[in-house]
Amino acid sequence: MDDCIFCKIAAGQIPSRKVVETEDVLVFWDIRPTTPVHCLAIPKKHIASLDKAGPEDARILGSVALAAAEAARQLGVADSGYRLVANTNRDGGQEVFHVHFHLLGGRRFGWPPG
Ligand code: AMP
Ligand code: ZN
């Protein structure tokens, strides 16, 4: 998609700090980290949000989750633990409409979220 920032990152047109990359998926550092580990796991294919994903996207979304788990291992937070978060639509706080999972780690989180 032409004016999507994450499509441009996936295509290498905007630089990013990559952690894991496969043919279909990219995990890279968030530009404004909110936790000691804060990465974003995205499919290279443009899907606007989890709300817009369909059954045809099941495999790629599984690959995104697995790539996030691999990134967590590489960044040393798998054993201590981490969170994967997909902010979705307005109440979810979604700002970039290319589906992504925040990989958050390096500190302990409370539950439920505020
Ligand atoms: P969300 O509110 O879930 O849509 O979050 C979008 C995230 O994308 C925010 O945490 C931003 O800091 C992050 N972000 C925006 N632009 C970039 C960029 N060029 N590189 C890395 N992360 C970005
Ligand atoms: Zn996109």
Side-chain angles (χ1 to χ4, degrees):
M1 205 197 176
D2 283 352
D3 60 353
C4 171
I5 190 165
F6 287 178
C7 281
K8 287 182 178 162
I9 287 174
Q13 294 162 359
I14 291 177
S16 66
R17 283 175 65 200
K18 293 177 190 176
V19 182
V20 171
E21 182 168 21
T22 70
E23 197 181 335
D24 302 323
V25 171
L26 185 61
V27 186
F28 57 99
W29 279 87
D30 196 292
I31 203 166
R32 286 187 300 272
T34 58
T35 47
V37 168
H38 186 174
C39 296
L40 300 169
I42 66 167
K44 292 185 177 176
K45 172 189 171 184
H46 183 84
I47 303 168
S49 77
L50 204 50
D51 181 51
K52 296 287 188 272
E56 69 279 11
D57 298 314
R59 188 196 60 80
I60 187 85
L61 290 173
S63 298
V64 172
L66 291 175
E70 173 59 22
R73 286 189 290 271
Q74 289 191 19
L75 295 170
V77 296
D79 288 343
S80 50
Y82 56 87
R83 234 172 232 185
L84 268 191
V85 176
N87 297 332
T88 303
N89 288 343
R90 184 197 59 209
D91 282 0
Q94 185 174 7
E95 290 180 356
V96 176
F97 280 79
H98 178 128
V99 72
H100 54 279
F101 292 83
H102 295 256
L103 167 61
L104 304 167
R107 70 167 169 85
R108 189 168 296 193
F109 300 104
W111 190 262

